[in-house]
Amino acid sequence: MPDLSVADLTVEYSSGGYVARPLDRLDLDISSGELVLLLGASGSGKTTLLSVLARILTPRSGSIRLGDTVVSDLEGAALTHYRRHTVGIVFQTFNLVPSLGAAENVQVPLRLAGVGRARAQARAAELLERVGLEDRAGHRPGDLSGGQQQRVAIARALAHDPPLVLADEPTAHLDYIQVEGVLRLLRDVASPERIVVVASHDERLLPLADRIVELTPRAAPAHGAPPRLELAAGQDAFRQGDAGDFVYLVEEGEIELVRERVDGSQEVVARLGPGRYFGELAPLFGLRRSATARAATPAVVQGLTLADFRRRMGVGAATQVLRSGTV
């Protein structure tokens, strides 16, 4: 069965008129049979990546290849076939049809693809037995527990026996009793014939994964003393979208914080002089830089480790940053 390859993938969209890139030149290779867990804070690009792999979203650039198929190039009938037959999706909120029973919900993608009623019914019965719900075939979602609804959603995702299954926060709405059955099922779904990619922040899934992909941006570990940058006017200390490493203190000159807008223009959102800090949010909270820091005049800025910054700010540093911090 095919392997999955993501190369130089960038996704860009508008957020309040500004450019947001939750995925910026991402490279990822997954072998058939692997269960890969995408970890990261909210906004790190987990759901975005699943949406691009499912071709619900189209990337700005880069490529996605599943075996010999270049998924990112698919259009028209080929794209429809990919969405129906090659990828199965397990949604965070189940997305079951409330008026249909469990078996009917599993049959929906089969009937939409033109599969006959008898064959669709047989396939649904087979899948419900696999997920341990053969005795709930006629029950509507409102009569099922959260864990049972999620198992129906997994069965539906497997309707066409796809080689790629994507699950978005599959345990988000489950209590600790319901989680166990879903975790075992997800592990079972990943087989030598199938890739399973799960987006989650639930650490209970860690032992299940063959590989963990951390999408929360992390700067390279700092070595040696924090940098002291002497910047010419117009020179950048860091760029919008970079991972955050140090906090910076303006010692001389002025720094502008500039955000890129969707129309290609740039907006100055702050201008900071000596004694002001910038770049606190990214390293404190594992975010990407939300603006470019650029010298408005010749400037000197001193980098600070988070430990140094916290010592200077004292107790409640994170709260102060949330009130007034930048990038």
Side-chain angles (χ1 to χ4, degrees):
M1 298 303 287
D3 295 336
L4 178 66
S5 177
V6 175
D8 204 29
L9 187 73
T10 296
V11 177
E12 180 179 292
Y13 58 81
S14 171
S15 178
Y18 298 106
V19 173
R21 295 188 186 92
L23 301 174
D24 194 1
R25 304 187 70 177
L26 175 70
D27 293 318
L28 178 62
D29 291 305
I30 302 175
S31 299
S32 180
E34 282 192 309
L35 190 155
V36 173
L37 181 61
L38 306 178
L39 287 181
S42 297
S44 63
K46 302 188 302 297
T47 299
T48 298
L49 179 55
L50 293 187
S51 297
V52 173
L53 294 178
R55 276 304 308 274
I56 297 170
L57 288 179
T58 300
R60 177 190 175 190
S61 60
S63 67
I64 304 166
R65 183 182 293 272
L66 184 64
D68 296 328
T69 301
V70 182
V71 176
S72 45
D73 289 347
L74 295 177
E75 296 179 350
L79 178 56
T80 299
H81 184 275
Y82 172 81
R83 288 172 174 165
R84 283 184 174 176
H85 298 278
T86 307
V87 60
I89 304 175
V90 181
F91 297 95
Q92 178 177 343
T93 53
F94 317 138
N95 283 18
L96 301 177
V97 181
S99 60
L100 299 181
E104 293 171 312
N105 267 282
V106 177
Q107 292 175 47
V108 166
L110 295 164
R111 298 291 287 152
L112 288 175
V115 176
R117 184 179 301 276
R119 183 179 168 194
Q121 289 175 341
R123 177 63 173 161
E126 173 190 340
L127 289 169
L128 286 179
E129 181 178 2
R130 179 174 180 180
V131 301
L133 290 178
E134 61 271 22
D135 59 340
R136 296 290 188 270
H139 287 61
R140 294 180 179 179
D143 298 321
L144 300 173
S145 69
Q148 290 171 334
Q149 290 184 64
Q150 191 62 287
R151 283 190 275 164
V152 173
I154 293 172
R156 181 184 57 190
L158 297 175
H160 291 290
D161 197 20
L164 176 62
V165 170
L166 310 174
D168 189 12
E169 298 284 0
T171 61
H173 300 287
L174 308 182
D175 61 36
Y176 72 95
I177 295 175
Q178 299 168 344
V179 163
E180 182 179 353
V182 171
L183 294 184
R184 292 180 184 276
L185 183 56
L186 285 172
R187 179 64 266 180
D188 180 61
V189 166
S191 66
E193 295 79 28
R194 182 178 292 116
I195 292 170
V196 177
V197 182
V198 179
S200 182
H201 63 272
D202 189 342
E203 294 187 357
R204 292 174 295 190
L205 276 73
L206 291 175
L208 294 178
D210 297 305
R211 188 146 54 94
I212 297 166
V213 177
E214 175 62 70
L215 289 181
T216 299
R218 302 293 182 191
H223 297 287
R228 188 171 186 270
L229 306 178
E230 297 183 4
L231 305 172
Q235 186 176 355
D236 297 336
F238 53 72
R239 298 282 300 171
Q240 182 174 331
D242 287 350
D245 44 12
F246 297 105
V247 181
Y248 290 91
L249 170 67
V250 183
E251 293 187 344
E252 300 176 19
E254 293 186 320
I255 296 292
E256 289 180 336
L257 302 180
V258 182
R259 284 204 178 112
E260 183 181 347
R261 299 190 64 86
V262 174
D263 61 7
S265 63
Q266 294 186 333
E267 178 183 355
V268 177
V269 295
R271 188 166 177 140
L272 308 174
R276 296 288 302 277
Y277 296 100
F278 65 95
E280 307 99 314
L281 288 176
L284 271 172
F285 298 102
L287 305 173
R288 293 189 182 278
R289 301 290 194 187
S290 61
T292 295
R294 181 173 299 155
T297 67
V300 177
V301 299
Q302 176 62 55
L304 300 172
T305 66
L306 281 180
D308 289 337
F309 176 67
R310 288 190 175 103
R311 278 194 292 269
R312 287 174 178 244
M313 294 291 286
V315 177
T319 300
Q320 294 181 57
V321 167
L322 287 175
R323 290 173 178 165
S324 61
T326 52
V327 300

